[in-house]
Amino acid sequence: MNDSPTAGKIKRVSAAEATFQALKELLLSDDVAVGDRLPSENDLAKRFGVSRSILREALGACSTLGLTETRVGSGTYVLSKQERPQLTFGGYSAADLIEARPNVEVPSAGYAAERRTDEQLEALRDLVERMDASDDLRAWVRLDGQFHIAIAEASGNPVLASLVALLREGLNPQSEFLNLTRARRVASDIEHREIFEAIEAGSAEDARAAVANHIAQVSRALGE
């Protein structure tokens, strides 16, 4: 039996990912056609044996892929049988977000390792620990955004802090999407702790490398 603190989280994320995959298979099957209205959320949740919250997350991911469209007061409809060739989050393409991040977040982490205050370090530690303990996907995404913004603020450069805050408008929905479709939460928790430990140690080189690795893993997941 695995008693590690991440064991339960792996199981929960896998259930969400399995729901997304099952819903996606339904949408791409011959059982539904473009223009069809899907069964209600209650019916779909019962069909897949999950809660409505997990079902809604799966529906949101399918909407991001361009497969479904939810109309207020009407329901969710099959929009396409083909995924969008380019994903968009918060008005930014995934490719543009990945291209921009290393130029902003990598130097921010290096400066944070050199300039952070004790108070800022404790705030980062608290965010890492709260992410580790979080059972709620959307709460985790909020903490994820706060963590990256806090690093930029610890850099002491208000321009970098403003740029990272701007990036999070696209990165928060991207994070939610990847954690659902690629079960990224556990790996992200490990990567975040590596970033924190480098900043705690005051190593600008290690902090930059840890953030670069984190961004590379996100890019790889998007490529899949």
Side-chain angles (χ1 to χ4, degrees):
M1 180 177 179
N2 188 348
D3 294 325
S4 71
T6 60
K9 292 170 73 174
I10 292 172
K11 182 178 180 181
R12 283 190 292 273
V13 171
S14 295
E17 184 181 11
T19 303
F20 161 73
Q21 293 295 344
L23 181 58
K24 182 179 170 183
E25 288 175 9
L26 170 64
L27 294 170
L28 298 180
S29 72
D30 294 331
D31 293 339
V32 296
V34 173
D36 283 355
R37 184 172 65 180
L38 294 178
S40 69
E41 289 183 359
N42 275 336
D43 289 342
L44 284 173
K46 290 177 181 177
R47 173 173 179 164
F48 298 131
V50 296
S51 66
R52 286 184 65 185
S53 63
I54 289 180
L55 189 277
R56 285 173 181 166
E57 290 165 5
L59 285 171
C62 288
S63 177
T64 297
L65 290 172
L67 300 175
T68 64
E69 178 183 52
T70 299
R71 303 169 190 169
V72 178
S74 180
T76 299
Y77 293 80
V78 181
L79 190 63
S80 175
K81 290 284 189 174
Q82 295 183 333
E83 298 178 17
R84 289 187 179 124
Q86 179 62 267
L87 298 180
T88 301
F89 302 96
Y92 303 103
S93 74
D96 286 345
L97 289 168
I98 286 296
E99 186 175 78
R101 290 188 75 180
N103 297 296
V104 178
E105 294 190 56
V106 170
S108 293
Y111 291 133
E114 296 171 336
R115 302 170 180 172
R116 54 81 178 166
T117 65
D118 289 342
E119 182 179 357
Q120 288 169 329
L121 182 65
E122 288 309 306
L124 288 171
R125 188 195 310 277
D126 178 66
L127 287 167
V128 167
E129 292 176 351
R130 288 168 66 191
M131 278 188 283
D132 280 342
S134 178
D135 291 330
D136 181 85
L137 172 60
R138 292 185 178 176
W140 187 97
V141 168
R142 288 193 295 272
L143 293 169
D144 177 30
Q146 291 169 19
F147 176 73
H148 287 282
I149 290 172
I151 291 173
E153 291 174 344
S155 76
N157 186 318
V159 176
L160 290 174
S162 295
L163 289 172
V164 170
L166 177 64
L167 283 172
R168 293 315 303 185
E169 294 178 12
L171 291 174
N172 282 359
Q174 177 183 281
S175 177
E176 181 173 337
F177 175 80
L178 284 179
N179 292 336
L180 176 64
T181 64
R182 291 291 178 264
R184 274 281 303 161
R185 279 178 64 186
V186 174
S188 288
D189 282 342
I190 294 171
E191 293 155 15
H192 288 153
R193 187 162 291 280
E194 290 173 349
I195 295 168
F196 166 75
E197 290 174 351
I199 292 173
E200 181 181 35
S203 174
E205 181 180 0
D206 288 348
R208 289 191 294 265
V211 171
N213 174 65
H214 176 55
I215 295 171
Q217 297 307 319
V218 171
S219 178
R220 182 173 300 138
L222 283 167
E224 294 173 354

